[in-house]
Every structure is written in C-alpha cells, then in structure tokens.
Amino acid sequence: MHGTPARRTWRHRARTSSAVLAAIAMGLAIVPTLSTTARAETSPTAVSVPGTFNSEIGCAGDWVPSCTQAQLTARTDGSGAWSKTLSLPAGSHAYKAALNNNWADNYGANAQYYGSDISLQVPVGGKNVTFVYDPVTHWVTDDINHKIVTAGGSFQSELGCAADWAPDCLTSWLKDTNGDGTYTWSTTAIPAGIWTVKAAIGQSWNESYGQGGSPTGADISFTVPRSGSTVDFRYDSTTHVLTVQTEQPPDPGVAATLGALYTPTGTTFRIWSPDNSQVSVTVGGTTHALQRADINGYTDVYQAVVPGNWKNQPYQFRVGNNTVRDPYARMVKPGSTEGIVMDVAAIQPNGGWAPRPSITKREDAVIYEMSVRNFTIDASSGVDGAKRGKFAGLTQTGTTHNGAKTGIDHLKELGVTHVQLLPSFDFNSTVPNWGYDPLNYNVPEEQFSRFNAPEDRVREFQGMVNEFHKNGIRVIMDVVYNHTASKDVFQNITGKYYHQTELSGTGNSIDDGNPMVSRMIRDSLEYWVDTYNIDGFRFDLLGVHQYGNVDQWAKHLNAVFPDRTLQIHGEPWSGGVDDPQQAQKVRYGTTPVLAGGHVGVFNGAYRDTVKGGTRDRFLGYMGGSSSNTSAIALGMRGSPLATKNTSPLSNPWDPAFAYDPEQTINYVSAHDDLNIWDKITYSGVTGGPTGRAGQMNRFAAGMVLTSQGIPFFHEGDEFLHSKVVGGDYEAAKNSYESGDAVNAVQWGEKTANNATFRYYKDVIALRKNTPALRLGTWDAVKAQMATIVNGSVVTSAISSRADAPTSHDTVVVYNPTNSSVNVALPAGTWKKVLDTNGTTDSTGNTADGLAVTVFKKS
C-alpha cells in the first residue's frame, strides 16, 4: 500500500463494553468483539482514479481523490459504468478507485475494498490509457493491465445499447476481477431467441474474435430458451475463445442434459467430444454415427437419435478408435464401459416417496459418517445375512445385539439427524474398500446391491434413502468429483477432463476449470437429488475445485430444489500438493464467498487444536494444553469471520473463516487417519474406557457437540470403536483397504462401552433442546455469545434470544485440566445439566476437570 500522508486509512473502532472491562480487570483474556466494515452500496456521485500520476495530468498533487482531472465520467450506454481516457507519461505508476471525492470508499486490485494499489506500467513515449470502473462488482481497471472485452452482438439493443454490434457499449462488458485471464459476464436480460455474438477488444472492432477464437471466425450462435434464462459469457484471453452457456430451465427432458435419454419410441445419445468428430454409439448390434449438436448450456456435443424402444438395453460409445464410457450413464454393465439405457423417471421406491424429515436450519444437523459395508457387515449387527454390507442392510429395523439396538434403530436411539455415506457410486476397487476411486458418478455401486436387474438396483438405492427418511434421518452422499480411479476413465474421450497439474495426489485430478467438466459435476449432483432424493453432499478434496464453480453448483441446486435445505460441505484442501491456482480454489479463506450457496467446510484447524495431529501422539487441548486456548475459543464460537464479509480473505488458511455458523463442520474423528479412540490410546493415555482415556473421548465429543456450527462424528466413535487389531496402529492410520476385521463395526462394543454411548446420546439430546447451542447467524454469535479464557479454561455465556442478546441462559465450560473449577454464573437460578458423565440435574457452579460442563438458567 502507498503510504503518502494525503491518503488516510479508515478503521472502525468498536467501543469497549463494561463486560470486557470487567474481564480485563479480573485478569482474563476475552475473545475480540466481532465488527463489520461498512461499504457504500448506493450508486456513487463521483468516481476518480487517484494515483502517482495525478500531478502529471494537472492535479495539485498525487493521490488526490477530489482532483478534477482524475475524475471518470458516468457512461450513458445503460451499463452504469464510469470511464475516461487519460494521457499518461511513461513510467511505473499506481492507482486505485475512490468514490465521492474522498477515501471513505475505495477499491484496489481484484475489486477489493481497501485493496492493494494497482500497478500500471506505461510504455516509453507515454500512452492514452482508458480507465473503467464498474459500481456493481467494484472492479476498476485500465486497458494496459486488462483488455476491455465486450460481447458485441445481435442482442445489444435489447439490453439498452444504442444499436446492435456495438463494441463500445459496456452493458455487455466482460470482467476479469480475479486476474486469472478469464473474462466473464452473466445476464438474464436477453430475450428468448437465437442470437449471435463476437468478442470485441478495446471498445472497437479493430481486434475481435469469433468461433474458435479466430480473428476471422464466424459469428458465434447461441439460443436463449426463454426470457429470464441466465446466459453466461466467458472469454479466455490466452486462446481468445468466447464461449456462451445458457442456463436451462429445470427440466429432466431430452433437451436438458447428456447421456442416454430414453423415450418409448427412441433414445437420444449425447456425449461431449471437444477433440474428435468421429463419434458413434452401438446399441442393439448396430452402430450409429453421432453428429455435432447445438445443445443449450453445452458445447462440442455429438448426438444420435436411435428409433425403437431401448429400455434397459446396453450401449457403447466410441470416440475415434476407442471405446469409451458414458460420463452421464445412469446404469452400467459391471466390469465394462457399456452403459444401460434407463427410464429413471418411471422408477420410484416401493410404495412411493415418503416425506423428507424436516429441518429448520442447517445448524440443527448432527451428522454421522458411515460406510455401507462397515456398518452392518459383521454378524453382530443382527442384520439378515443377505442384507449385510448392502444398501438394504442400513435400514433394516428391529435388529439387536445382546439386547442393545443396532443398525438404524441405534441411529434413532442416538439421535442423529443425518447419515453421511462413504462413496456409494460405482467405484473401481473391490470391497472391503472405502471406494474413493470413481468409475461412474451417477451409478449406485453394484457391490452394495442385492440385485442385477438395472431397475431393481435403482429402486433399491431409492428405497434405502426412503426408509431413512421414514425413520427421521436425512442422507448425505460422500462424492469424489476431484479425481477418478485412473485417467483411463475419461482420457480416451478427451484429456480436457484432467488437470495438467496433479492436485489430488492420485495422478488423475479432475479439472472443473473446464466449463463442460464443471457442468458434468453440477448435472451429476442434480441427478442424485432428483432421482434418489439425496439430502446433501460431502465433497472429497473440495479444495481441488474452483470456489466460483462450487458456489454456482450449490446455488443452482438450492434454486432447483428450494424446499430441500440441502447440506453441502467438503474438505477445503487438495491432495497435499502446491496449487498454482490456490487463490481460485476452496480454502478457509474463500469459504465466505460460498455463504450464499450454504456451503461449509471441515474445520481441520479446530480439530487439530482439540486433539493434536491425526496420526501423531500430541494430544492438543484435550490433553491439557493451555497454549491454544484462543483457538479453542474461536472454534467454540463457530470460527466466525473477524469482519462480516463475503469477500475472500487474504490468508487462505485463516481459521476465522465462517460467514455463518453453518459453514463450519466441527469434528475430531473421520474415516481418514486414527479415529478418536485410537488416537487417544496411541498417545499413551491410560485408564481404559472407564478411566482417563474414556473421559478424554467424552471431552472431545462434548466440545464438538456444544460448539457453534454443525457437529460431525464417525461410526463407532460413540462406543469407542477401534480399528487397531493385534496392536497394529499403522494399519489403523490409513485403513481404506483393510479388511472387515479392522473396519467393520463390532456391535459388542456398544454394550461394553454403554456409558460412552449414553454420553453421546445425552449431549445430542441437549444440543437439540438448547437453542443457544445452535445459533444461526454471524450476528447472533456476535451479539448473543460472550466467551472468556481463564488460564486453560474456556467459558461461553450464550443467550438463545435475539431480542435479549445479553440475557444469557446457557453457559458452556471447557476444562482440560485435572481439577474442577468454580464458574461465575450470571445472576439468576441455574442448573447444571451436563457433566463428564452426561445428563445431570444438579445445583452448584463447579465444572469438573477434563470435561464439558453445561449450565442452564431455570
């Protein structure tokens, strides 16, 4: 940032409350009060470009936002933009955009509020430089650093331009706000019809690009199916290719997607083939050539309509000389690249769809991660032999072991709201294996099915989801769109499915930066929600994906299924590799951008603070560490942003990332690495289930279940399930392909460790019955929650009422020490409702050591 005295740094200062002063007087540390930074959202009355060149253009000095010569002019072309061309001397310069003749609202690089200065290198001899500012995105740029790209075409007069094919009308201006060389613009204002367009550079036709990115290329044609449809324009400044995608209305019909699209009189076969026009499909022993087709929302699609009734018949795509799988296949012939033609719209679970369990807000969720196989494969599950390790086994009721409920009845007794299934789509490996090696994204895994007939397999998966719903439990799918089993899965169609840089750690990471790959992922997600009534998705290595795409997928799903309250979250990291495009990927720092799509991320920072590393012997806070109490306090509050904003953070790994509590998935145990019980015993904690080790498990679980956000835990954690067989901790650290002896849930552990199970059950019930533990907004956390750190002990006083934010009715205490502490409760009559053993009903203000203690106001 330039530091001239004329430029003022504006900061809002929060007042110090009496509660804060009291805490300081008592020698306590208190979590900083959250604050917001205001920005102008109304149209500016003036826009200028103060910078180091101001004095050279006649201003009294540099960095003067009120200088007349630096003022941009409001355009009259209907775009709302401001622009001006200035004659600048050669040299290295810098500038920003300032609104209303002062520094109160200013924007720098990448449209950031109070962002970095924008560097400008004017060539020898000087140059006329055009500056442009957009008041909607706050992007300010110049035609040296960035091209001024417009979509000039036959539709521009419909948008308010004086004429069509007007390259100088910025109503159709494409912008590169993140500086990645890709310029984009979206609009819903183009009426229904067939239109043509080219990319114009520099507000003239002196440089322009048509089909294929050629300067002499033909006009690019696109169709808007209905007025109000979203049309997305994307210009690649390297290839000069302008692509246009039109959002289709939600319709499962033939015109909306790819794959094998069935009707009783003929099936339409479609596949994306951007590199090869020699495309065919073989069905019923006859091969049919596919022709290039103009499908709204897609590019480079080839299509053939084959007459006849091909229901449940196999088909085989071929591209060039290679047989290839259909990335959109709804069913496949196991062990082959053949798809099966399906009439999925006609398939429903037996008895029809039951109502989905209601949920008021996402913070009400309690998520239980499980494997289709592991949960019921052991005979102790009580599940019928033919159903063990199958989809149907997950929902068989009435099962017990030694008098204790197992299976779905156990989940109901425990009180979880969602199950999260490890990969259940078609994968390459044979079970037992977790299945993180996808082959066919839209096909249920046949090894988890009892049936061979295609329709029966679809109906079986539907029936599993339906039975969960009947029992009050929602279903989340673990999806692996970041990589495939190998490059052979899609490579013979086109290499454009895969990243040039390996990001997943498996050698075959998917590149959703390609619009057609991104669309495939979105279509797959929509298919699972529509056909199988899925309630949400957990993304493996969500950090491989561009956050802009993830945001678009989530917003699309929420718009198409507005009544579902879909749960969408994932891992905000890649496969342990450096990503040259990290700024565009999902990280903690880009999570605020995803707030509008209700997308959350796993809070690995809070996890590691609570339990230490996932494979080491360091125990973190649950082991008594007092060096990280501020991080515990932050996680307890739902890891809220310091300043409420939906812009990316400067630090991609900032642990204060949540715009909304629903964006943090709190956990200490998952399928990866050591589960919580094995972590505790591996670290040498003694005492067993009834001693210190068992108490530490309850302490960690209690923290997860009483922190703001969404709690998550792994199958068997609630009764100390161990994956250590014969003392082999190394296998337990990465048991993805270990046998059932390691991974299968052993239901005898529930009766053996019933006290731990009761604790989990009690805390889940307490969470459900305590609104203060499920605050729904950043503002609620800020106003209704006061958190104090005293040595190693972290205490939060919380109000459940937005209309009485300081009338705290719940107090939560985390005490990792070996001794009990006395808690200063607010005025009133209080009851202790949770201690180290679970539910209690007692008076007093002591909080036991190595325990979560909860007090509620009577």
Side-chain angles (χ1 to χ4, degrees), residues 178-380:
N178 62 7
D180 66 355
T182 300
Y183 295 71
T184 60
W185 170 58
S186 295
T187 182
T188 58
I190 301 176
I194 300 174
W195 309 93
T196 51
V197 67
K198 279 189 172 184
I201 311 300
Q203 303 185 72
S204 80
W205 290 115
N206 293 336
E207 182 184 356
S208 64
Y209 301 96
Q211 286 187 13
S214 172
T216 59
D219 297 344
I220 301 164
S221 179
F222 65 96
T223 301
V224 179
R226 62 187 176 111
S227 297
S229 296
T230 299
V231 184
D232 296 318
F233 295 80
R234 180 186 180 96
Y235 171 76
D236 186 318
S237 61
T238 301
T239 65
H240 303 299
V241 172
L242 174 68
T243 56
V244 186
Q245 288 192 329
T246 304
E247 185 81 18
Q248 288 288 342
D251 180 354
V254 169
T257 190
L258 306 186
L261 310 171
Y262 170 82
T263 72
T265 58
T267 296
T268 301
F269 296 92
R270 291 177 180 159
I271 190 170
W272 177 50
S273 180
D275 305 325
N276 198 320
S277 61
Q278 302 302 310
V279 186
S280 65
V281 65
T282 300
V283 59
T286 302
T287 298
H288 305 266
L290 274 65
Q291 304 297 321
R292 195 177 185 92
D294 184 12
I295 310 300
N296 291 329
Y298 302 86
T299 60
D300 299 314
V301 172
Y302 287 80
Q303 168 183 295
V305 180
V306 180
N309 191 334
W310 300 106
K311 185 175 181 179
N312 297 329
Q313 296 303 304
Y315 65 94
Q316 178 68 69
F317 278 124
R318 180 179 290 272
V319 175
N321 295 320
N322 299 309
T323 56
V324 299
R325 68 183 69 250
D326 176 7
Y328 280 74
R330 279 75 173 169
M331 189 59 64
V332 295
K333 183 178 178 180
S336 78
T337 56
E338 292 183 82
I340 303 292
V341 177
M342 299 295 295
D343 182 15
V344 292
I347 306 173
Q348 284 197 347
N350 294 325
W353 287 109
R356 287 176 298 278
S358 62
I359 188 168
T360 302
K361 62 182 188 297
R362 291 170 179 83
E363 290 87 354
D364 296 339
V366 178
I367 301 173
Y368 186 96
E369 183 188 44
M370 63 195 302
S371 158
V372 173
R373 181 178 179 89
N374 296 347
F375 196 63
T376 66
I377 193 63
D378 192 78
S380 63

Side-chain angles (χ1 to χ4, degrees), residues 354-440:
R356 287 176 298 278
S358 62
I359 188 168
T360 302
K361 62 182 188 297
R362 291 170 179 83
E363 290 87 354
D364 296 339
V366 178
I367 301 173
Y368 186 96
E369 183 188 44
M370 63 195 302
S371 158
V372 173
R373 181 178 179 89
N374 296 347
F375 196 63
T376 66
I377 193 63
D378 192 78
S380 63
S381 69
V383 169
D384 295 343
K387 295 181 180 179
R388 292 176 196 158
K390 307 294 184 180
F391 293 126
L394 294 182
T395 55
Q396 181 178 337
T397 58
T399 59
T400 61
H401 179 72
N402 291 337
K405 294 178 180 179
T406 63
I408 192 172
D409 290 342
H410 164 79
L411 297 176
K412 291 168 63 179
E413 182 183 16
L414 185 59
V416 299
T417 64
H418 294 65
V419 291
Q420 178 177 298
L421 305 181
L422 265 64
S424 302
F425 48 67
D426 188 42
F427 50 79
N428 187 52
S429 52
T430 56
V431 296
N433 190 293
W434 291 343
Y436 288 91
D437 50 349
L439 288 177
N440 296 284

Side-chain angles (χ1 to χ4, degrees), residues 62 76 189 242 283 448 453 503 585 603 643 658 749 801:
D62 290 335
T76 59
L242 174 68
V283 59
F448 295 154
L503 302 176
K585 301 302 179 67
N603 196 335
T643 300
E749 292 172 326
R801 295 175 53 191

